[in-house]
Amino acid sequence: MATRLLFRDDAYLSRASARVIAVHERGIELDQTIFYPQGGGQLGDSGRMLRESGEPIAISDTRKGDAPDGVLHVGAADAPVPEVGESVTLELDWQRRYALMRLHTALHVMSCVVVAPVTGGNIAPDKARLDFDIDIHLLDAARIERDTNALIARSVPTETVWITDAELDARPELIKTMSVQPPRGAGRVRLLRIPDIDLQPCGGTHVRNIGEIGAIRVLRIRSEGKRNKRVEIALAN
Ligand SMILES: [Zn+2]
């Protein structure tokens, strides 16, 4: 079943109400959600649902369902199971999500400092990485850190832009990430624009202004295979 993805229009919603539309082994489905399902390299959200009685249902992970825009809220092992039709209040583990948003947006900025095809990526609350198809000797941790932080210091607002599938097909240069398909659906694709820095298809959650990232540090650079040179970063504070 399809779920209204509230985070797509407002990544800063940390609390919302919803109705349970299905409950099964793989998770709880809602009519709408603020929980981001794992995808595009970004981990799924955790948090809790509050029942009308006030009883909490701990949500340990969020995954994509089978339907387009389907979202499965995965209850913790010992969590109570809600009834279909029940109203619940959703609460994100906001600290964790905000770290994911800052690191995710930082990867967009870093992908403009390292100019090479992106072959993979991952965003966890404590660190994030991109893999590049590049000669590892061209990856200088100090330079990547300095140049990425110089761009972050511009503190420009980010924008979400939608284009049609046909427009994206006409501009293949927009797709930097070879391992992740652009988030297509209903004939349109969502892009993240960081004016004068980056423009690429992305369905993830981002900060409103890149200044919110603060600064990053490069944790390490290593080879993960012929076409995967990994740059791992963390938030500086
Ligand atoms: Zn993104």
Side-chain angles (χ1 to χ4, degrees):
M1 282 187 223
T3 300
R4 228 178 112 220
L5 309 179
L6 301 177
F7 56 80
R8 197 144 69 177
D9 295 317
D10 184 356
Y12 286 77
L13 281 175
S14 60
R15 200 179 157 94
S17 57
R19 190 171 294 276
V20 177
I21 57 172
V23 179
H24 45 84
E25 225 171 51
R26 293 172 57 210
I28 302 160
E29 298 190 57
L30 305 170
D31 63 341
Q32 58 180 15
T33 192
I34 51 176
F35 283 73
Y36 179 81
Q38 180 175 323
Q42 182 177 329
L43 289 185
D45 282 328
S46 59
R48 56 185 193 160
M49 294 180 189
L50 292 177
R51 312 181 79 173
E52 278 175 337
S53 65
E55 183 183 33
I57 301 171
I59 302 300
S60 56
D61 195 6
T62 310
R63 296 299 178 104
K64 284 184 177 161
D66 297 328
D69 292 352
V71 178
L72 302 168
H73 304 79
V74 182
D78 54 351
V81 177
E83 304 287 335
V84 172
E86 196 174 323
S87 294
V88 288
T89 301
L90 311 179
E91 287 182 350
L92 272 190
D93 180 345
W94 174 249
Q95 221 175 356
R96 180 178 179 281
R97 155 68 92 69
Y98 190 52
L100 289 167
M101 285 163 55
R102 291 169 72 203
L103 277 167
H104 182 138
T105 312
L107 290 185
H108 279 270
V109 177
M110 189 180 77
S111 77
C112 299
V113 168
V114 180
V115 182
V118 176
T119 51
N122 192 67
I123 303 134
D126 59 335
K127 61 185 179 183
R129 61 173 165 81
L130 282 179
D131 294 346
F132 298 96
D133 185 0
I134 193 173
D135 180 341
I136 198 161
H137 299 105
L138 297 173
L139 294 174
D140 174 354
R143 186 193 75 84
I144 293 169
E145 193 172 292
R146 187 186 63 232
D147 291 358
T148 302
N149 286 336
L151 290 175
I152 290 168
R154 289 191 197 171
S155 295
V156 295
T158 64
E159 301 163 11
T160 299
V161 196
W162 292 88
I163 62 172
T164 65
D165 286 355
E167 284 169 322
L168 181 66
D169 291 338
R171 297 183 66 187
E173 76 278 5
L174 288 178
I175 302 170
K176 289 182 190 171
T177 308
M178 300 154 75
S179 61
V180 179
Q181 279 298 310
R184 290 172 191 259
R188 57 182 203 152
V189 184
R190 184 177 187 254
L191 306 180
L192 179 75
R193 188 200 333 254
I194 307 175
D196 298 322
I197 298 176
D198 189 37
L199 175 65
Q200 62 177 294
C202 191
T205 57
H206 309 97
V207 290
R208 288 188 190 115
N209 186 303
I210 61 170
E212 293 178 40
I213 301 165
I216 58 111
R217 58 202 169 87
V218 173
L219 296 177
R220 59 178 169 174
I221 292 174
R222 69 174 187 276
S223 177
E224 287 287 324
K226 195 167 182 292
R227 302 184 69 196
N228 297 298
K229 309 302 176 211
R230 179 163 298 174
V231 181
E232 198 170 73
I233 64 167
L235 297 169
N237 43 52

